Amino acid sequence: MTQETIGILALQGNVAEHGYVLDQLGVPHRKVRLPRDLEGLSGLILPGGESTTMSKLMVFNELEDPLREALRGGLPAYGTCAGMILLADEVLDTRPDAVSLGAIDITVRRNAFGRQVDSFETDLDIPQLAIGGDQPPVHAAFIRAPWVERVGDDVEVLARVPESAGETAGTVVGVRQGSAMVTSFHPESTGETRLHEFFLRELVGI
Protein backbone atom coordinates (compact mmCIF):
# COMPACT_ATOMS: atom_id res chain seq x y z
CA MET A 1 0.00 0.00 0.00
CA THR A 2 2.72 2.44 0.96
CA GLN A 3 6.31 2.73 2.13
CA GLU A 4 5.51 5.38 4.71
CA THR A 5 6.29 4.22 8.26
CA ILE A 6 3.97 4.71 11.22
CA GLY A 7 5.33 4.60 14.75
CA ILE A 8 3.52 2.99 17.68
CA LEU A 9 4.41 4.31 21.12
CA ALA A 10 5.58 1.07 22.75
CA LEU A 11 6.04 1.91 26.40
CA GLN A 12 2.99 -0.05 27.60
CA GLY A 13 -0.51 -0.95 26.45
CA ASN A 14 -2.15 -2.16 23.23
CA VAL A 15 0.93 -1.99 21.04
CA ALA A 16 0.48 -5.36 19.33
CA GLU A 17 -3.20 -4.72 18.59
CA HIS A 18 -2.44 -1.49 16.71
CA GLY A 19 0.37 -3.23 14.89
CA TYR A 20 -2.05 -5.92 13.75
CA VAL A 21 -4.44 -3.30 12.31
CA LEU A 22 -1.60 -1.64 10.41
CA ASP A 23 -0.50 -5.06 9.12
CA GLN A 24 -4.06 -5.60 7.84
CA LEU A 25 -3.83 -2.29 6.01
CA GLY A 26 -0.39 -3.06 4.59
CA VAL A 27 1.29 -0.13 6.37
CA PRO A 28 4.88 -0.50 7.63
CA HIS A 29 5.31 0.35 11.30
CA ARG A 30 7.85 0.28 14.10
CA LYS A 31 7.87 0.60 17.87
CA VAL A 32 8.80 3.91 19.46
CA ARG A 33 10.51 3.80 22.86
CA LEU A 34 13.41 6.24 22.56
CA PRO A 35 13.91 9.66 20.92
CA ARG A 36 15.83 8.14 18.01
CA ASP A 37 12.79 6.01 17.14
CA LEU A 38 10.92 9.15 16.06
CA GLU A 39 13.26 9.77 13.13
CA GLY A 40 11.67 9.42 9.71
CA LEU A 41 8.15 8.65 10.88
CA SER A 42 5.11 9.74 8.86
CA GLY A 43 2.76 9.41 11.84
CA LEU A 44 2.49 8.06 15.37
CA ILE A 45 -0.13 6.01 17.23
CA LEU A 46 -0.37 6.34 21.01
CA PRO A 47 -2.20 3.23 22.24
CA GLY A 48 -4.55 2.53 25.10
CA GLY A 49 -3.12 1.32 28.37
CA GLU A 50 -2.16 2.94 31.65
CA SER A 51 -1.45 6.62 31.06
CA THR A 52 0.46 7.20 34.31
CA THR A 53 2.79 4.28 33.56
CA MET A 54 3.33 5.60 30.05
CA SER A 55 4.08 9.04 31.48
CA LYS A 56 6.72 7.68 33.85
CA LEU A 57 8.42 5.64 31.14
CA MET A 58 8.30 8.53 28.69
CA VAL A 59 10.16 10.71 31.18
CA PHE A 60 12.58 7.90 32.10
CA ASN A 61 13.41 7.32 28.42
CA GLU A 62 13.84 11.08 27.82
CA LEU A 63 11.16 10.88 25.16
CA GLU A 64 8.75 13.53 26.46
CA ASP A 65 10.40 16.66 25.06
CA PRO A 66 11.41 15.18 21.66
CA LEU A 67 7.89 13.84 21.20
CA ARG A 68 6.31 17.15 22.15
CA GLU A 69 8.57 18.94 19.66
CA ALA A 70 7.72 16.42 16.92
CA LEU A 71 4.01 17.00 17.50
CA ARG A 72 4.48 20.76 17.44
CA GLY A 73 6.33 20.28 14.16
CA GLY A 74 3.29 18.62 12.63
CA LEU A 75 3.87 14.89 13.17
CA PRO A 76 0.40 13.33 12.70
CA ALA A 77 -0.77 11.44 15.78
CA TYR A 78 -3.70 9.21 16.73
CA GLY A 79 -4.30 8.44 20.41
CA THR A 80 -6.75 5.85 21.76
CA CYS A 81 -7.91 5.91 25.40
CA ALA A 82 -4.64 6.49 27.30
CA GLY A 83 -3.32 8.05 24.10
CA MET A 84 -6.15 10.58 24.30
CA ILE A 85 -5.05 11.47 27.82
CA LEU A 86 -1.43 11.94 26.76
CA LEU A 87 -2.29 14.13 23.75
CA ALA A 88 -4.78 16.38 25.57
CA ASP A 89 -4.02 19.94 26.60
CA GLU A 90 -5.57 19.44 30.05
CA VAL A 91 -6.35 16.27 32.06
CA LEU A 92 -8.56 16.01 35.14
CA ASP A 93 -8.27 13.33 37.85
CA THR A 94 -4.68 12.44 37.09
CA ARG A 95 -1.34 12.69 38.87
CA PRO A 96 0.25 16.16 39.04
CA ASP A 97 3.42 14.84 37.39
CA ALA A 98 1.60 13.14 34.49
CA VAL A 99 2.81 14.01 30.99
CA SER A 100 0.54 16.28 28.94
CA LEU A 101 1.73 16.67 25.35
CA GLY A 102 -0.80 19.40 24.53
CA ALA A 103 -1.42 18.35 20.94
CA ILE A 104 -5.20 18.96 21.06
CA ASP A 105 -7.09 21.81 22.74
CA ILE A 106 -9.36 19.67 24.92
CA THR A 107 -9.94 18.92 28.58
CA VAL A 108 -10.14 15.19 29.29
CA ARG A 109 -11.31 13.43 32.45
CA ARG A 110 -9.32 10.29 33.16
CA ASN A 111 -11.32 7.08 33.90
CA ALA A 112 -14.50 9.12 33.46
CA PHE A 113 -16.66 6.11 32.52
CA GLY A 114 -15.63 4.22 35.66
CA ARG A 115 -13.45 1.28 36.60
CA GLN A 116 -12.67 -1.90 34.67
CA VAL A 117 -16.00 -3.47 35.72
CA ASP A 118 -17.79 -0.51 34.12
CA SER A 119 -16.33 -1.24 30.67
CA PHE A 120 -18.92 -1.40 27.90
CA GLU A 121 -19.42 -1.54 24.14
CA THR A 122 -21.74 0.51 21.96
CA ASP A 123 -22.24 1.61 18.35
CA LEU A 124 -21.17 5.09 17.29
CA ASP A 125 -22.12 7.08 14.22
CA ILE A 126 -19.07 8.86 12.80
CA PRO A 127 -20.08 10.70 9.59
CA GLN A 128 -16.49 11.69 8.80
CA LEU A 129 -15.66 8.07 8.04
CA ALA A 130 -18.16 7.83 5.19
CA ILE A 131 -16.75 7.66 1.67
CA GLY A 132 -19.24 7.62 -1.18
CA GLY A 133 -22.33 6.76 0.81
CA ASP A 134 -23.62 5.59 4.15
CA GLN A 135 -21.37 3.62 6.48
CA PRO A 136 -22.37 1.18 9.22
CA PRO A 137 -21.78 2.45 12.77
CA VAL A 138 -18.47 1.88 14.53
CA HIS A 139 -18.64 -0.78 17.24
CA ALA A 140 -16.64 0.81 20.05
CA ALA A 141 -15.16 -0.71 23.22
CA PHE A 142 -14.73 1.56 26.25
CA ILE A 143 -12.33 0.21 28.90
CA ARG A 144 -11.67 2.48 31.91
CA ALA A 145 -12.12 5.16 29.31
CA PRO A 146 -11.72 8.94 29.52
CA TRP A 147 -14.14 11.42 28.01
CA VAL A 148 -13.82 14.97 26.70
CA GLU A 149 -15.30 17.68 28.93
CA ARG A 150 -14.13 20.76 27.01
CA VAL A 151 -13.59 21.19 23.28
CA GLY A 152 -11.54 24.11 21.94
CA ASP A 153 -12.87 26.37 19.19
CA ASP A 154 -10.71 24.77 16.49
CA VAL A 155 -11.44 21.17 17.49
CA GLU A 156 -13.72 19.01 15.33
CA VAL A 157 -15.93 16.51 17.15
CA LEU A 158 -15.84 13.08 15.53
CA ALA A 159 -17.93 10.98 17.91
CA ARG A 160 -20.40 11.25 20.77
CA VAL A 161 -22.00 8.60 22.96
CA PRO A 162 -25.42 7.76 21.43
CA GLU A 163 -28.71 8.88 22.93
CA SER A 164 -29.49 5.30 23.91
CA ALA A 165 -26.61 5.29 26.42
CA GLY A 166 -28.56 6.97 29.22
CA GLU A 167 -26.91 9.57 31.43
CA THR A 168 -23.68 9.65 29.38
CA ALA A 169 -25.55 10.34 26.12
CA GLY A 170 -23.95 13.07 24.05
CA THR A 171 -20.57 12.80 25.75
CA VAL A 172 -17.71 13.58 23.36
CA VAL A 173 -15.50 10.52 22.80
CA GLY A 174 -13.61 11.40 19.62
CA VAL A 175 -12.10 14.61 18.26
CA ARG A 176 -9.63 15.93 15.74
CA GLN A 177 -7.55 19.09 15.58
CA GLY A 178 -5.08 19.68 12.78
CA SER A 179 -2.70 16.74 12.54
CA ALA A 180 -3.89 15.00 15.72
CA MET A 181 -6.95 12.90 16.54
CA VAL A 182 -8.03 10.96 19.61
CA THR A 183 -10.76 8.53 20.63
CA SER A 184 -11.83 7.36 24.09
CA PHE A 185 -12.48 3.88 22.72
CA HIS A 186 -10.36 1.06 21.32
CA PRO A 187 -11.04 0.35 17.62
CA GLU A 188 -7.97 -1.91 17.59
CA SER A 189 -9.77 -4.27 20.04
CA THR A 190 -12.96 -4.79 18.04
CA GLY A 191 -11.66 -5.54 14.55
CA GLU A 192 -12.45 -1.99 13.38
CA THR A 193 -10.02 -0.50 10.85
CA ARG A 194 -11.86 2.62 9.64
CA LEU A 195 -10.45 4.94 12.32
CA HIS A 196 -6.93 3.94 11.35
CA GLU A 197 -7.79 4.34 7.68
CA PHE A 198 -9.19 7.82 8.37
CA PHE A 199 -6.02 8.74 10.27
CA LEU A 200 -3.80 7.50 7.47
CA ARG A 201 -5.84 9.14 4.72
CA GLU A 202 -6.82 12.48 6.25
CA LEU A 203 -3.98 13.25 8.66
CA VAL A 204 -0.96 11.36 7.35
CA GLY A 205 -1.93 11.67 3.70
CA ILE A 206 -1.26 8.13 2.49
Side-chain angles (χ1 to χ4, degrees), residues 21 78 80 119-127 129 135-143 158-162 164 173 183-196:
V21 174
Y78 174 30
T80 62
S119 300
F120 68 99
E121 298 184 12
T122 190
D123 290 335
L124 303 174
D125 290 320
I126 306 179
L129 300 184
Q135 291 282 325
V138 170
H139 190 67
F142 293 83
I143 305 169
L158 299 177
R160 295 179 182 270
V161 174
S164 60
V173 292
T183 58
S184 301
F185 52 92
H186 295 264
E188 76 283 0
S189 298
T190 59
E192 175 63 64
T193 64
R194 284 174 291 168
L195 274 301
H196 291 74

Side-chain angles (χ1 to χ4, degrees), residues 101-163:
L101 296 169
I104 300 185
D105 183 18
I106 53 175
T107 298
V108 169
R109 186 172 297 276
R110 184 172 173 266
N111 295 343
F113 285 101
R115 298 179 179 273
Q116 192 85 11
V117 296
D118 300 309
S119 300
F120 68 99
E121 298 184 12
T122 190
D123 290 335
L124 303 174
D125 290 320
I126 306 179
Q128 290 89 339
L129 300 184
I131 300 177
D134 294 334
Q135 291 282 325
V138 170
H139 190 67
F142 293 83
I143 305 169
R144 294 180 63 199
W147 66 39
V148 179
E149 294 204 352
R150 180 193 61 84
V151 176
D153 293 339
D154 296 326
V155 176
E156 177 186 9
V157 174
L158 299 177
R160 295 179 182 270
V161 174
E163 293 301 320

Side-chain angles (χ1 to χ4, degrees), residues 9 11 32-39 41 44 46 51 54-56 58-77 83-91 95-104 179-180:
L9 186 66
L11 301 175
V32 173
R33 295 191 179 97
L34 300 170
R36 65 171 179 263
D37 299 328
L38 294 169
E39 296 178 8
L41 292 180
L44 178 68
L46 292 81
S51 61
M54 292 181 184
S55 289
K56 291 178 182 179
M58 198 180 300
V59 172
F60 182 80
N61 288 3
E62 299 182 344
L63 182 59
E64 177 185 1
D65 289 339
L67 178 51
R68 183 177 286 108
E69 288 303 311
L71 294 169
R72 287 176 179 169
L75 177 68
M84 168 187 274
I85 294 169
L86 292 173
L87 289 171
D89 184 58
E90 181 183 20
V91 180
R95 293 167 54 99
D97 60 347
V99 169
S100 177
L101 296 169
I104 300 185
S179 58

